[in-house]
Amino acid sequence: QVQLVESGGGLVQPGGSLTLSCAASGSQFTITTMGWYRQAPGKARELVAYITRGGITTFADSVKGRFTISRDNAKNTVYLQMNSLKPEDTAVYTCYADATYGGRYWGKGTLVTVSS
């Protein structure tokens, strides 16, 4: 049974920072790309960032220059460092992990609220 466990969400003031982490366990296949989506109330889901096993990163235009993504392949863990947070970053953030057989695993999501 594959599990993706997210942590690090919460309430932060505008301009603040948060780091999300997501650890994948139980997969008999190699984890390749890992990343994060987010969905705000009443809005479409948005791909925030992803990182390949080799460390190549991609970001949504809305977070470029503010968010960074990194991973620890030995731990199958991905991190999303979020800086200069804005109220419009408020959303449920969900991580995913792709496996070599072509499947995708999903986390349950963690809420990030940016508010004063």
Side-chain angles (χ1 to χ4, degrees):
Q1 184 78 11
V2 177
Q3 282 191 314
L4 268 64
V5 179
E6 299 134 328
S7 61
L11 173 65
V12 64
Q13 292 187 340
S17 299
L18 275 179
T19 300
L20 306 182
S21 63
C22 172
S25 62
S27 176
Q28 62 179 315
F29 300 97
T30 298
I31 299 297
T32 57
T33 298
M34 300 183 77
W36 296 88
Y37 278 86
R38 69 183 180 184
Q39 187 164 24
K43 293 190 176 181
R45 188 176 67 173
E46 176 187 27
L47 177 60
V48 178
Y50 62 87
I51 181 168
T52 68
R53 189 168 183 84
I56 298 172
T57 60
T58 301
F59 296 92
D61 287 343
S62 58
V63 305
K64 279 181 183 176
R66 300 187 298 121
F67 290 12
T68 59
I69 189 169
S70 60
R71 64 186 288 171
D72 183 333
N73 289 335
K75 297 180 179 179
N76 279 332
T77 299
V78 63
Y79 306 94
L80 185 68
Q81 174 68 43
M82 305 183 292
N83 299 322
S84 302
L85 283 161
K86 305 175 181 179
E88 51 263 44
D89 294 316
T90 295
V92 174
Y93 286 71
T94 304
C95 74
Y96 72 90
D98 291 333
T100 48
Y101 75 95
R104 174 168 287 183
Y105 309 121
W106 292 96
K108 293 184 178 181
T110 185
L111 178 62
V112 172
T113 303
V114 184
S115 175
S116 55

